[in-house]
Amino acid sequence: MKKSISKVLLAAVTSAVMLSSCSKTPDESRYIPKTAGVVVDLNAKQLTTKLVTNGITMDKLFEATQSKDTSNEVMKAWKDAENSGIDMQSHFFASFVFQGQPAEHKSYISLTASLKDADKFEAYLKKNIANFSLKTQNDFKYIWEEKQHAVIGWNKSAVIYISAVDPSNLEKYNPGGSSSPDYGDPSEPMIDSATAVTDSAMAIPAALTTAEDDAQIKTWVAEVDHLFHLKKDETAGSIEPFAKLLKEDADAGIFVNPEAIYNSGQFTMIPANVKKLMEGSFYTGTVNFENGKIVFNGHSYMGKELAAIYKKYGKKEIDMDMLNKYPSQNITGFISYAFDFRMIGDIVKATGMDGMVNLMMGKSGLSMDDVLNAFEGQLTYVASDFAITKKESPYFPGEFTEKPDAKWIFSLKVGNKDAFNKIMTSPMLKEVFTREGDHYTVVNPMAAATMPAMSINEKFVTLGSDSALLQEYLGGKGHIKLPDGIEGKIKGSMLGGYVDLEKVTAVIPEDKMDEDEKPVAKKAKELLKDVTFVSKADGGDVQHGEAVLTFKNKDQNSLVQLINLGTEAAKVMQARKAKEKAYEDSLFAAPVDTTVVAPQ
């Protein structure tokens, strides 16, 4: 069987995502440099355990998603990978390291995993990689993979795969990118694309490598050597937010270090004062698949200068009254946000770009401070009564189209009245709005007819889907009905939101689907219940965000439910391909003068 090591590692990472701890601080993390801009952690053992506990194994998964002609080959490839010596139950890390100027091609991606048996791993490589040429450097072994221009290095306990990337054109590394490496059709078994990789590698004998190739090999071997011998203060683990992320014991995690990215030379256009403002800022996130829900948690760590700006304006909480007075018992979703716009002004000033902003706004007769002071930073958007409705075309009478429709309100609280009135009477808006008593109206009646219902005064700017709903909302006599626990969850936060996915998916029409698609569509509609998200300030320099995607079935693990839906969709795709192939075969088999009717 022909298959390259890059495919083994990528297959392992893919399976961890698909399946996805043992240790509070995974041993594999010590090979990740602090210069990494983005790190993705997949806890394969924890994720696999959740699937196996619910009766899903790789054997059953491949059997369900592959055709009879390919499932055996795929299983052989997977079993081969399982016996490769790589610990398929360890943490898998993918690290993106941005360094040097783009033209120098020094940036790379590294994949890191644990080894259970280094001798098995070496034997596996020797068996499956063409032109296998084993080399040794210091205390590790390595080979060069020509097709991917990658080095695979390993010692007794770990394997590191390094391949160069071009940060200025990351799209080409996507499976769908025009210049992406050829991973083959994702609907085809992995073994086919792996074979193509090895075949192409066989076409280039090792003896024909150029001096340029030799220099490239030496560069990446040196980098592998560097990663295997990182000092503690050189690892990403020496960064406190990353160390905290590893201890969260999540199914999957992500770490972003903006400073490592823009200091790498990849973004030379970023001004020095912008870099200084963002210094010490980091972002981390985790994903956990639990029974009946997926929980996303994120932390934003602010550096010294950015934290000082946030502290200057204090903690701000969403105005619950703006949400609660929405007059409906049939809520589809909402988002409420509390953010002092003046923070934006301080951030822009700290970067030294306020002069440019004011210059651009010069013709409007306004300054940046005028706009930021005009609004308090309290906004709410609420939608209800979501449905698919038939609407007649205004241009073609008698023609109807089905479109999503909902009732909604958007409200923005005014801050400084003088600044607000200055905006409304500025050269930019004075031709559009005119003041009538204590409110503003649209000057042109024809323009007003095309705009949503609105109310603009010195307290609020409020827009609505229709005037009746707007007036009822402004009257303040109605009261929103939220699901149990939602109000208490978002109260006191700076950001809160909710979407009733059950109501959104319920209106998806099944009558326009093919018969073989309806069962999957029905299961998809029965899958999700709602999603809630909230963001709060944990302290002066940390903000915490959480999103919870809730499933209707509360007793089964959410990953298992997603896998089950995915396998059902795969079966539908296989059946469709089989039907199409049968139709094509019938065309070629039919006599020339026979009319073949296409199946519906």
Side-chain angles (χ1 to χ4, degrees):
M1 184 196 69
K2 301 174 182 178
K3 192 173 184 187
S4 65
I5 181 57
S6 67
K7 289 299 171 185
V8 177
L9 288 178
L10 290 174
V13 172
T14 301
S15 66
V17 173
M18 222 168 51
L19 306 176
S20 318
S21 173
C22 35
S23 173
K24 288 296 181 182
T25 52
D27 190 59
E28 303 87 355
S29 64
R30 64 181 173 144
Y31 304 116
I32 300 172
K34 67 190 304 181
T35 54
V38 180
V39 181
V40 178
D41 170 25
L42 298 170
N43 190 336
K45 180 180 179 180
Q46 192 159 289
L47 290 167
T48 304
T49 300
K50 291 182 177 182
L51 289 179
V52 173
T53 302
N54 286 269
I56 295 182
T57 62
M58 291 302 299
D59 302 63
K60 292 182 179 180
L61 188 58
F62 283 135
E63 185 179 350
T65 57
Q66 299 291 326
S67 66
K68 293 182 180 179
D69 296 333
T70 61
S71 60
N72 290 337
E73 289 298 319
V74 173
M75 277 306 304
K76 287 178 183 178
W78 175 253
K79 292 297 183 184
D80 202 20
E82 281 190 316
N83 294 323
S84 67
I86 295 178
D87 186 357
M88 307 301 272
Q89 298 291 302
S90 67
H91 281 253
F92 291 90
F93 286 95
S95 308
F96 297 84
V97 180
F98 302 86
Q99 56 187 13
Q101 300 297 325
E104 295 177 305
H105 304 293
K106 291 184 178 180
S107 297
Y108 65 88
I109 178 175
S110 69
L111 303 177
T112 310
S114 290
L115 284 182
K116 292 190 298 185
D117 191 322
D119 293 334
K120 273 189 176 182
F121 183 66
E122 182 178 331
Y124 176 85
L125 295 178
K126 189 173 183 180
K127 174 185 175 183
N128 293 292
I129 292 186
N131 298 321
F132 175 86
S133 179
L134 182 65
K135 301 290 178 67
T136 301
Q137 179 155 321
N138 293 329
D139 55 353
F140 70 93
K141 299 177 181 180
Y142 73 91
I143 64 169
W144 171 253
E145 188 185 22
E146 177 65 30
K147 172 66 178 179
Q148 301 293 333
H149 283 256
V151 168
I152 304 138
W154 68 96
N155 57 24
K156 292 182 179 181
S157 59
V159 55
I160 299 176
Y161 169 99
I162 280 186
S163 181
V165 297
D166 181 3
S168 62
N169 187 21
L170 292 178
E171 286 187 2
K172 77 177 186 178
Y173 300 101
N174 293 333
S178 58
S179 303
S180 64
D182 183 11
Y183 297 138
D185 186 346
S187 65
E188 295 298 325
M190 189 178 301
I191 184 63
D192 292 346
S193 58
T195 303
V197 171
T198 308
D199 287 345
S200 62
M202 293 176 63
I204 306 176
L208 298 182
T209 58
T210 64
E212 183 178 352
D213 290 332
D214 290 337
Q216 187 182 28
I217 294 172
K218 289 180 180 178
T219 297
W220 296 123
V221 170
E223 189 63 29
V224 171
D225 195 348
H226 172 63
L227 295 182
F228 269 128
H229 301 95
L230 288 174
K231 297 178 181 178
K232 188 174 182 180
D233 62 352
E234 294 177 325
T235 66
S238 64
I239 302 174
E240 185 178 357
F242 184 71
K244 287 182 177 179
L245 174 68
L246 295 180
K247 292 178 181 180
E248 290 193 38
D249 201 29
D251 293 341
I254 185 169
F255 168 76
V256 180
N257 183 353
E259 193 174 351
I261 299 174
Y262 58 64
N263 281 341
S264 65
Q266 300 293 331
F267 300 93
T268 56
M269 297 299 292
I270 297 179
N273 43 9
V274 174
K275 295 180 179 180
K276 185 179 180 181
L277 177 67
M278 295 299 296
E279 189 176 288
S281 296
F282 304 95
Y283 307 95
T284 65
T286 61
V287 180
N288 282 293
F289 297 93
E290 302 178 6
N291 282 1
K293 61 183 177 180
I294 303 176
V295 181
F296 305 87
N297 276 290
H299 290 86
S300 297
Y301 296 85
M302 292 177 284
K304 183 178 179 180
E305 292 203 11
L306 196 57
I309 294 176
Y310 273 76
K311 289 179 181 179
K312 176 181 176 181
Y313 295 98
K315 182 182 177 181
K316 200 173 184 68
E317 300 177 358
I318 58 177
D319 185 341
M320 294 299 295
D321 181 64
M322 294 174 65
L323 172 65
N324 286 330
K325 67 180 183 180
Y326 185 84
S328 177
Q329 306 292 299
N330 188 25
I331 296 300
T332 305
F334 72 86
I335 181 170
S336 295
Y337 194 33
F339 180 82
D340 198 319
F341 289 165
R342 292 174 298 175
M343 288 187 192
I344 300 175
D346 282 19
I347 292 173
V348 172
K349 290 172 184 176
T351 62
M353 293 189 291
D354 52 315
M356 182 183 298
V357 174
N358 285 321
L359 181 64
M360 294 172 62
M361 298 181 64
K363 292 183 179 180
S364 68
L366 302 170
S367 67
M368 178 181 67
D369 288 336
D370 290 331
V371 177
L372 298 177
N373 289 330
F375 301 99
E376 189 178 317
Q378 290 278 3
L379 62 88
T380 292
Y381 174 82
V382 194
S384 64
D385 304 283
F386 181 76
I388 302 295
T389 60
K390 286 186 177 182
K391 291 188 176 181
E392 186 174 8
S393 170
Y395 308 105
F396 302 98
E399 289 191 9
F400 292 86
T401 57
E402 293 185 348
K403 293 183 179 180
D405 191 26
K407 294 182 177 181
W408 57 269
I409 286 289
F410 171 81
S411 186
L412 176 64
K413 184 179 286 190
V414 172
N416 184 282
K417 295 180 181 180
D418 293 335
F420 175 73
N421 287 321
K422 185 177 180 180
I423 290 177
M424 297 303 296
T425 58
S426 66
M428 181 174 60
L429 295 178
K430 69 178 182 179
E431 300 298 329
V432 180
F433 297 100
T434 183
R435 182 159 186 165
E436 295 182 0
D438 63 347
H439 64 281
Y440 291 89
T441 60
V442 179
V443 174
N444 189 328
M446 294 183 64
T450 63
M451 297 181 180
M454 65 179 66
S455 170
I456 304 175
N457 54 43
E458 294 179 344
K459 293 183 179 181
F460 292 95
V461 175
T462 309
L463 308 179
S465 56
D466 60 81
S467 58
L469 177 65
L470 177 63
Q471 294 306 316
E472 194 174 356
Y473 175 79
L474 296 175
K477 295 182 180 181
H479 194 278
I480 196 170
K481 183 179 180 181
L482 297 174
D484 293 340
I486 298 298
E487 182 173 352
K489 189 171 185 177
I490 67 170
K491 190 174 182 179
S493 64
M494 62 178 292
L495 170 68
Y498 166 82
V499 179
D500 191 326
L501 298 175
E502 189 173 4
K503 291 180 180 177
V504 173
T505 57
V507 301
I508 298 176
E510 295 183 20
D511 56 336
K512 293 183 173 57
M513 298 180 182
D514 293 337
E515 286 300 320
D516 54 355
E517 294 178 340
K518 288 183 179 180
V520 176
K522 184 178 180 180
K523 288 188 176 182
K525 291 168 70 172
E526 294 174 348
L527 186 69
L528 300 177
K529 185 177 185 296
D530 56 37
V531 60
T532 307
F533 48 93
V534 65
S535 178
K536 296 183 178 181
D538 289 352
D541 58 351
V542 182
Q543 288 186 352
H544 170 70
E546 180 188 74
V548 180
L549 180 62
T550 306
F551 290 61
K552 292 182 181 180
N553 183 349
K554 297 181 180 180
D555 300 323
Q556 190 177 44
N557 186 272
S558 54
L559 181 60
V560 173
Q561 295 186 53
L562 290 175
I563 293 294
N564 287 336
L565 178 63
T567 55
E568 289 297 321
K571 291 178 182 178
V572 171
M573 292 176 63
Q574 289 176 16
R576 176 173 290 182
K577 285 186 177 181
K579 186 184 292 185
E580 291 174 352
K581 187 177 185 304
Y583 172 60
E584 291 175 358
D585 292 344
S586 68
L587 287 177
F588 287 107
V592 177
D593 60 347
T594 299
T595 301
V596 179
V597 180
Q600 293 183 352

